[in-house]
Amino acid sequence: GESVGLHLPTLSVQEGDNSIINCAYSNSASDYFIWYKQESGKGPQFIIDIRSNMDKRQGQRVTVLLNKTVKHLSLQIAATQPGDSAVYFCAENVNRDDKIIFGKGTRLHILP
Amino acid sequence: DAGVTQSPTHLIKTRGQHVTLRCSPISGHKSVSWYQQVLGQGPQFIFQYYEKEERGRGNFPDRFSARQFPNYSSELNVNALLLGDSALYLCASSLGPNQETQYFGPGTRLLVL
């Protein structure tokens, strides 16, 4: 089975609030993690990545947190906007391996 | 700047036929990866190519094959199509093979009847 999964398949958030999307992984050898956003009818769009030597990384309105102790990854989106509606995938990679393993995804709904 | 491009955008085939999907990477990117995304699931890794050499292969049957050309574009071929091959086929390009950021194209949606 897949080693990357998500706790919630659907998340509904009020516009303007912060969103937190969670992800669990089981391969302790994974050392590179990526979040992708996929809108309907489009390919996945890179959001942010983090390597295992870090526990936090910030981008524009997004923050990724990595907890290697419990093998947990999260994506925080600040001040959620209607354009943030999409399916969000976490993905992992093991160095020396060339494939990226994706989880099933979380659909983010923005409530007006 | 042009992103990853894929052709065709949509395709309908019947069982037993073969299909060729094409991908052009971002200019300067030398690595191309192919993924299959079944409706409602995350993308599944099929192949990665770098400098025209296969670098990795996912858990897909030999009916799936690919190649990369000197200009770094790539083709994915699927023979003896099955209904279960219906999916969105995604191509991603990156500068190199090892933990470089992969940028995805819009995909080719294949329907097998």
Side-chain angles (χ1 to χ4, degrees):
Chain A
E2 294 175 332
S3 67
V4 175
L6 294 164
H7 295 308
L8 296 172
T10 304
L11 177 66
S12 296
V13 175
Q14 204 77 36
E15 182 179 348
D17 287 352
N18 297 335
S19 302
I20 300 176
I21 302 172
N22 295 305
C23 177
Y25 65 96
S26 58
N27 188 351
S28 58
S30 294
D31 55 3
Y32 177 57
F33 304 89
I34 317 105
W35 281 99
Y36 283 93
K37 170 187 180 183
Q38 188 172 26
E39 296 174 280
S40 181
K42 297 183 179 180
Q45 175 188 354
F46 171 84
I47 301 174
I48 192 168
D49 58 3
I50 189 168
R51 298 186 188 275
S52 60
N53 60 351
M54 303 173 68
D55 53 20
K56 180 179 181 178
R57 190 165 188 221
Q58 289 184 295
Q60 187 177 9
R61 276 202 312 120
V62 294
T63 301
V64 55
L65 299 177
L66 175 62
N67 185 330
K68 294 180 286 295
T69 302
V70 295
K71 299 194 191 72
H72 184 267
L73 191 68
S74 69
L75 176 71
Q76 300 179 4
I77 305 174
T80 310
Q81 304 169 357
D84 295 328
S85 290
V87 177
Y88 289 81
F89 292 98
C90 65
E92 64 179 308
N93 172 257
V94 178
N95 198 11
R96 81 183 177 272
D97 195 354
D98 297 307
K99 63 183 177 184
I100 290 178
I101 299 172
F102 281 78
K104 288 186 171 63
T106 293
R107 182 173 297 280
L108 179 63
H109 285 295
I110 311 303
L111 303 171
Chain B
D1 288 339
V4 177
T5 59
Q6 293 185 244
S7 63
T9 55
H10 295 80
L11 203 53
I12 300 175
K13 292 285 189 178
T14 56
R15 282 176 296 177
Q17 286 188 311
H18 74 273
V19 67
T20 298
L21 310 181
R22 296 176 175 84
C23 171
S24 291
I26 293 171
S27 178
H29 285 193
K30 298 183 178 181
S31 181
V32 170
S33 298
W34 286 96
Y35 294 81
Q36 180 196 65
Q37 186 175 24
V38 174
L39 194 63
Q41 296 187 15
Q44 297 289 312
F45 173 79
I46 309 175
F47 288 111
Q48 184 185 65
Y49 276 77
Y50 175 67
E51 292 282 13
K52 303 188 294 285
E53 298 288 328
E54 181 182 302
R55 292 269 307 191
R57 171 185 283 257
N59 188 24
F60 280 81
D62 292 342
R63 298 185 296 107
F64 289 76
S65 64
R67 55 179 176 167
Q68 187 177 33
F69 299 98
N71 66 353
Y72 303 110
S73 67
S74 178
E75 285 182 354
L76 175 70
N77 295 283
V78 187
N79 294 323
L81 284 167
L82 303 174
L83 296 180
D85 294 331
S86 295
L88 180 68
Y89 288 86
L90 294 160
C91 172
S93 77
S94 56
L95 286 169
N98 292 325
Q99 296 189 345
E100 293 281 351
T101 303
Q102 294 193 8
Y103 297 92
F104 283 81
T108 293
R109 185 159 297 282
L110 172 65
L111 177 62
V112 182
L113 301 176

